[in-house]
Amino acid sequence: MSSPSPELDDLAAFISRVPACNAISCRHEDWGWWVKLVIDIDDPLAWHAVQELGFVLNYISLNDRLPTVFMPVSPPPYLNGGPKDYLSWVIEGETKISPSAVLDELDGRLPRPVENREDWGLEDDE
């Protein structure tokens, strides 16, 4: 995946290292930028990834939230099919925050190294 922004490409590459996640596109817009990803819902770490990304990107602080949103997106399910094939996720960032600043936040708060599956809390599910 290649965008006009190396820092957006770096964020997408980082997201693809998160277990169960794969960044599929990214783009700058007039209002900001976005990274679209798919999450393998059959992966045992899928909901851990959703929970961690949702926490950092949506509610890291009630008083000083990041100008980002992490949310599901889907075409009409009645015309297409179920979540395994048609549910995607998007990270949107306003112009006042750079993709590299979001990358720094995620890198500082997600398990390290991010691709190490053992650090993602599976024992909590048992």
Side-chain angles (χ1 to χ4, degrees):
M1 166 183 14
S2 181
S3 73
S5 167
E7 67 177 354
L8 197 52
D9 289 338
D10 290 345
L11 176 58
F14 180 85
I15 295 297
S16 291
R17 291 176 39 217
V18 172
C21 295
N22 184 32
I24 56 173
S25 60
C26 54
R27 188 167 159 172
H28 275 281
E29 302 284 352
D30 291 338
W31 52 265
W33 52 266
W34 54 262
V35 176
K36 187 174 183 180
L37 58 139
V38 293
I39 297 177
D40 177 1
I41 63 174
D42 292 327
D43 189 306
L45 294 178
W47 290 113
H48 289 272
V50 169
Q51 184 177 26
E52 293 275 355
L53 292 170
F55 169 67
V56 174
L57 297 168
N58 295 340
Y59 293 108
I60 193 70
S61 166
L62 294 176
N63 298 323
D64 191 25
R65 292 169 56 178
L66 293 175
T68 56
V69 175
F70 173 63
M71 64 184 168
V73 292
S74 177
Y78 56 86
L79 292 177
N80 295 288
K84 186 173 180 110
D85 295 320
Y86 291 98
L87 180 64
S88 300
W89 298 78
V90 69
I91 299 167
E92 294 181 348
E94 298 176 12
T95 55
K96 59 184 164 185
I97 190 165
S98 69
S100 60
V102 172
L103 172 58
D104 289 345
E105 284 292 329
L106 290 170
D107 189 39
R109 297 183 183 274
L110 296 182
R112 288 178 132 194
V114 73
E115 61 273 11
N116 187 1
R117 298 178 65 85
E118 290 79 36
D119 292 338
W120 278 81
L122 272 180
E123 66 278 353
D124 297 341
D125 290 345
E126 296 172 358

